[in-house]
Amino acid sequence: MAERTLRGARLGGQSFEDERGIEFAARQQVGYKCPQGHGFEITMSLEAEVPAVWECPRCGAEALSTTGIKPEFKAEKPARTHWDMLLERRSVKELEDILKERLELLRGGEIGPAHLHRANAKKRKVS
C-alpha cells in the first residue's frame, strides 16, 4: 500500500505554478455601506458593471455603493388573487346566477354533504 502513495504533493488545490510573467486584469476597489454602518470594499475588474447594492458580509443587509450609484427600482405587479382570475373568466352577473342555482340545488338536497341528503330524504318521505 505504501508503494502506491503519491510523494511530494499534498491532496487538494495546491498549484506549483508561480505568478511570474502573468499580467493581472486591471482592478478597482468599490466601497459599500449597509444600514447598520458596516463599511466594506469589494475588488472588481475595471470592465465590470458595478452593482448599486451588495450584501453586507457581516449582517446580510443590503449595502449601498458609496460611489453614489443608485439602485433601479422595478415596478412590481400586484399579486393576482383567485377572485381576479375568476373575474377574467366570468362576469359578476354570471357568478350571481351560478350562486343562485347552486344554492337552490343545495337547499333542495340534490348536492352537498351526505348527512344533509339523508335529512332531506326523511322529510320528503314524511310529507
Side-chain angles (χ1 to χ4, degrees):
M1 190 107 126
E3 300 162 10
R4 295 184 193 163
T5 59
L6 293 173
R7 294 180 186 214
R10 291 186 288 200
L11 294 177
Q14 184 177 7
S15 173
F16 293 109
E17 294 182 23
D18 59 8
E19 297 177 358
R20 284 181 271 155
I22 297 175
E23 191 175 321
F24 292 106
R27 301 176 188 188
Q28 63 178 332
Q29 293 291 109
V30 181
Y32 290 91
K33 192 164 192 163
C34 79
Q36 272 101 27
H38 303 135
F40 59 95
E41 288 187 337
I42 303 293
T43 304
M44 296 185 187
S45 169
L46 277 176
E47 300 170 1
E49 186 176 322
V50 178
V53 178
W54 197 273
E55 183 179 322
C56 177
R58 291 181 68 191
C59 64
E62 283 191 347
L64 294 175
S65 172
T66 57
T67 59
I69 303 170
K70 299 291 179 194
E72 294 178 18
F73 292 102
K74 298 177 185 174
E76 293 183 22
K77 294 194 298 185
R80 284 176 55 202
T81 63
H82 295 299
W83 180 248
D84 294 332
M85 290 184 260
L86 185 62
L87 289 178
E88 290 174 7
R89 296 190 307 271
R90 299 192 187 272
S91 69
V92 175
K93 174 72 173 120
E94 285 177 302
L95 292 172
E96 287 173 351
D97 291 343
I98 292 171
L99 177 63
K100 187 185 227 181
E101 177 185 321
R102 301 304 282 183
L103 285 173
E104 287 173 5
L105 291 173
L106 181 63
R107 289 178 183 137
E110 297 178 44
I111 62 170
H115 67 278
L116 291 178
H117 291 300
R118 287 191 293 267
N120 286 333
K122 288 178 186 175
K123 286 179 186 175
R124 283 187 214 132
K125 287 181 183 177
V126 173
S127 315

